[in-house]
Amino acid sequence: MSFIFEKYYLYRHIRLDKNEPFYIGIGTKKSTCIYSRAYDKYKRNSIWNRITIKTKYLVEILFESDSYDFIKIKEKEFIKLYGRINNKTGILANLTDGGEGSVEYIPSKESRNKSRLNKIGKKDSPKTLELK
């Protein structure tokens, strides 16, 4: 029997042209895959994509914890500290105030089927293919 240990982490992306953070996020660190979400370019919002087209960025891991609740609290604190571009309060590409993620969400069979049906006949955009 194999056991996969999970830890949660908070990370930030720092844009190198201005040496300032532009994104705060949460990831799950499993024994088989370390910090993958922090380095992943897939499923990012349009503000994040526009910034990363202009400049390279650095990934910084801020916290690690066994407590997902602790990491969500820290995410909210950092987003509040830096503010968000979309509501004109700061410099982050984040679209929400943070803390609302769901680690243990498993979509129902019906939800998965709706998603699958919605994708039939659609081709991935060149940007999506590049990020895969």
Side-chain angles (χ1 to χ4, degrees), residues 45-57:
N45 69 56
S46 60
I47 299 170
W48 188 96
N49 286 322
R50 282 195 303 268
I51 291 169
T52 58
I53 286 170
K54 292 180 197 172
T55 183
K56 293 184 179 192
Y57 64 95

Side-chain angles (χ1 to χ4, degrees), residues 120-132:
I120 291 175
K122 295 182 181 177
K123 293 183 180 181
D124 288 337
S125 70
K127 181 74 174 172
T128 301
L129 292 172
E130 177 186 315
L131 296 174
K132 284 186 175 181

